[in-house]
């Protein structure tokens, strides 16, 4: 919406990874590997929680569906900006 948004470091890294692979679905495992690194012992819910926080910051709260961060059921996420 043309306004600045404050992102935490991992939110920024996640967004930049998704933007780099624009319109390509990345699995939660791929995102964990790309953003958190090979040795991250977290779970895929970590990705889900960060995507949810990121959506609150960059998506239009009045929209019925996300415009930029799309969930692809049983596959992962993609950025469509």
């Amino acid at each position: 919406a043309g306004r600045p948004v404050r992102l935490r470091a991992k939110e920024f890294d996640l967004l930049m990874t998704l933007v780099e692979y624009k319109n390509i679905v990345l699995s939660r495992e791929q995102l964990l590997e790309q953003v958190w690194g090979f040795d991250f012992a977290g779970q895929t819910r970590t990705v889900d929680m960060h995507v949810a926080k990121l959506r609150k910051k960059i998506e239009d709260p009045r929209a019925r569906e996300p415009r930029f961060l799309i969930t692809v059921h049983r596959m992962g996420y993609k950025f469509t900006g």
Side-chain angles (χ1 to χ4, degrees), residues 35-52:
V35 177
W36 283 268
F38 289 103
D39 58 350
F40 182 72
Q43 299 184 3
T44 58
R45 291 296 302 160
T46 299
V47 175
D48 298 338
M49 291 181 343
H50 278 78
V51 167

Side-chain angles (χ1 to χ4, degrees), residues 20 38 45-46 57 60 62 71:
E20 181 179 348
F38 289 103
R45 291 296 302 160
T46 299
K57 294 180 178 184
D60 181 351
R62 298 166 297 182
T71 301

Side-chain angles (χ1 to χ4, degrees), residues 3-15:
R3 61 178 166 67
V5 176
R6 278 204 124 122
L7 299 178
R8 294 180 180 257
K10 285 299 178 196
E11 292 169 343
F12 180 81
D13 293 344
L14 176 60
L15 180 59

Side-chain angles (χ1 to χ4, degrees), residues 27-77:
S27 70
R28 288 166 179 84
E29 291 79 13
Q30 288 173 308
L31 290 167
L32 276 174
E33 186 176 297
Q34 289 281 329
V35 177
W36 283 268
F38 289 103
D39 58 350
F40 182 72
Q43 299 184 3
T44 58
R45 291 296 302 160
T46 299
V47 175
D48 298 338
M49 291 181 343
H50 278 78
V51 167
K53 289 178 184 178
L54 194 51
R55 275 191 182 133
K56 286 181 181 180
K57 294 180 178 184
I58 70 168
E59 297 286 356
D60 181 351
R62 298 166 297 182
R64 297 180 95 195
E65 298 291 327
R67 176 179 168 200
F68 301 111
L69 293 177
I70 307 301
T71 301
V72 180
H73 186 64
R74 293 188 180 223
M75 293 184 71
Y77 297 101

